[in-house]
Amino acid sequence: MIGKMICLQSSSYREFLTEKKAPIYSRMIVIMAGVIYGIMGIYANAGFIASFESELLRNVAVPFIFILFGLFSVWLTRLGLAVLLWAGARGFGGPGNIGDLNRGAAVALIPGLLAIPGLTGAGGGLLTWAGVIVALIWMYFICVKIHETTQGFQGWKAYTSVFAVFVFFASIYYILVPPGL
């Protein structure tokens, strides 16, 4: 079902939202993505981690902190995306349904795994940027499907509401990220 959602099959979104285990699946997606983000952070900072003299720090504590940071970052991103999708829905006259948006937001994070090398500094160059761009476009279309399913938006309304959400999200990101990164 989640695979069909990733492939943008409209009926799978309604099926997912009516599934009793959808909250569990959403949490599992967040945990999986968070651990992957943490592992990529470890990979990107391997030289820094290796510089610690204490074996306990080098092999346990610091990697554990990276994994926790990955989990927190993905959880916070899901929460932020859900709130922004809610705001976009309400701004365009939808009912909101924050619970459905929150569960759907977890699925929207899956394509974001393509952007992790760019976000952690583990990769560089054209391929990394291509991954970030593909992830953002794919996430956009998943969020459109989420708005179509949860808000009853069709056509331009779904695309415009999600576009507004992404513009706002990008502006927040621009404000928070230091220049030069």
Side-chain angles (χ1 to χ4, degrees):
M1 167 178 25
I2 293 172
K4 290 179 182 178
M5 292 174 76
I6 297 300
C7 293
L8 303 173
Q9 290 184 356
S10 297
S11 62
S12 61
Y13 287 83
R14 178 60 52 206
E15 183 183 333
F16 178 76
L17 294 174
T18 58
E19 173 68 40
K20 289 181 183 178
K21 293 185 179 182
I24 294 169
Y25 297 149
S26 293
R27 286 186 206 109
M28 288 173 48
I29 290 168
V30 169
I31 290 169
M32 175 201 67
V35 168
I36 291 170
Y37 188 66
I39 290 170
M40 289 301 290
I42 293 168
Y43 173 74
N45 294 287
F48 170 70
I49 294 170
S51 71
F52 286 99
E53 291 181 21
S54 167
E55 238 180 90
L56 180 64
L57 283 174
R58 187 174 51 247
N59 296 326
V60 179
V62 175
F64 181 71
I65 290 169
F66 272 91
I67 298 291
L68 283 179
F69 177 77
L71 288 167
F72 178 71
S73 296
V74 171
W75 174 80
L76 190 61
T77 301
R78 173 190 167 189
L79 179 65
L81 181 59
V83 169
L84 289 174
L85 287 172
W86 172 83
R90 295 296 294 154
F92 281 78
N97 304 335
I98 190 76
D100 290 344
L101 292 167
N102 192 32
R103 285 187 292 279
V107 176
L109 294 178
I110 294 173
L113 294 174
L114 295 172
I116 287 178
L119 296 173
T120 60
L126 187 60
L127 191 58
T128 300
W129 280 106
V132 171
I133 291 168
V134 167
L136 285 173
I137 292 169
W138 201 350
M139 289 172 73
Y140 173 80
F141 286 116
I142 289 174
C143 289
V144 167
K145 291 291 185 185
I146 291 168
H147 263 195
E148 288 176 345
T149 305
T150 62
Q151 307 306 306
F153 291 169
Q154 294 301 318
W156 73 270
K157 201 171 194 179
Y159 286 95
T160 307
S161 64
V162 174
F163 183 74
V165 165
F166 272 58
V167 167
F168 186 78
F169 185 73
S171 65
I172 297 266
Y173 182 77
Y174 179 75
I175 290 170
L176 295 178
V177 174
L181 291 182

